[in-house]
């Protein structure tokens, strides 16, 4: 799992860099893939810090963090499977300060490294955020819709 996780991270990193390089070039800016891949690496820093903080918190408390992000706002049961098919829960579990920090770093990378104006950089950043949120919610919706009769 660790090996495939690292491979997936690398592939995702390259896809992300290619998407934002092409976006920058679409807006008429000159940027290279190497510049974008370096800049996209910086957007992972908040998640690295988040994982260390959560790992340390779990080590100290001895408890697993069951509800990520803002999903704990709608939890009404101690049953971990009670909200497994809830798309609102899936959406809220992907929202936290580290996501917004990463999006801000992405925005800065597009402005500084991609050469985009602040107005132009907002749109690809927002599109990326919507795609990432959808990637977390769509599987939940599919499972909910396909298992509705069970």
């Amino acid at each position: 799992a660790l090996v495939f996780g690292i491979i997936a991270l690398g592939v995702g990193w390259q896809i992300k860099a290619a998407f934002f390089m092409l976006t920058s070039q679409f807006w008429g800016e000159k940027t290279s893939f190497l510049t974008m891949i370096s800049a996209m690496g910086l957007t992972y820093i908040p998640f690295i810090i988040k994982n260390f903080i959560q790992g340390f918190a779990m080590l100290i408390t001895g408890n697993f963090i069951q509800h990520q992000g803002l999903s704990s706002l709608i939890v009404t049961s101690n049953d971990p499977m009670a909200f497994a098919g809830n798309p609102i829960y899936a959406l809220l579990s992907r929202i936290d300060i580290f996501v917004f920090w990463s999006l801000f770093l992405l925005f800065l990378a597009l402005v500084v490294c991609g050469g985009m104006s602040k107005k132009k950089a907002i749109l690809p950043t927002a599109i990326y955020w919507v795609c990432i949120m959808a990637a977390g919610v769509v599987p939940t919706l599919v499972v909910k819709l396909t298992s509705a009769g069970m």
Side-chain angles (χ1 to χ4, degrees):
L2 179 63
V3 173
F4 288 115
I6 292 171
I7 291 171
L9 177 66
V11 170
W13 192 339
Q14 291 179 10
I15 291 170
K16 187 176 175 181
F19 172 76
F20 288 111
M21 180 195 72
L22 293 173
T23 302
S24 180
Q25 289 177 350
F26 173 77
W27 290 106
E29 307 301 333
K30 302 243 187 246
T31 189
S32 70
F33 181 72
L34 185 61
T35 301
M36 274 303 183
I37 205 161
S38 299
M40 292 306 110
L42 296 175
T43 64
Y44 288 105
I45 290 173
F47 299 114
I48 294 168
I49 293 171
K50 172 187 173 180
N51 290 338
F52 275 115
I53 290 171
Q54 287 183 342
F56 186 70
M58 287 186 284
L59 184 67
I60 296 298
T61 63
N63 294 325
F64 178 70
I65 300 172
Q66 285 186 344
H67 308 289
Q68 297 286 325
L70 298 177
S71 63
S72 61
L73 296 174
I74 64 168
V75 173
T76 57
S77 169
N78 287 333
D79 180 15
M81 296 304 292
F83 294 93
N86 186 337
I88 302 298
Y89 179 86
L91 180 71
L92 290 175
S93 70
R94 301 184 67 83
I95 298 175
D96 62 26
I97 191 70
F98 298 99
V99 170
F100 291 114
W101 182 11
S102 178
L103 287 171
F104 178 71
L105 290 176
L106 173 62
F107 173 79
L108 286 179
L110 291 175
V111 171
V112 174
C113 299
M116 299 174 83
S117 70
K118 291 176 183 174
K119 284 185 178 182
K120 288 180 183 178
I122 290 173
L123 181 63
T125 303
I127 290 171
Y128 173 76
W129 184 60
V130 168
C131 290
I132 292 303
M133 297 304 283
V137 175
V138 169
T140 304
L141 285 172
V142 169
V143 168
K144 184 176 184 169
L145 294 174
T146 56
S147 64
M150 294 181 172

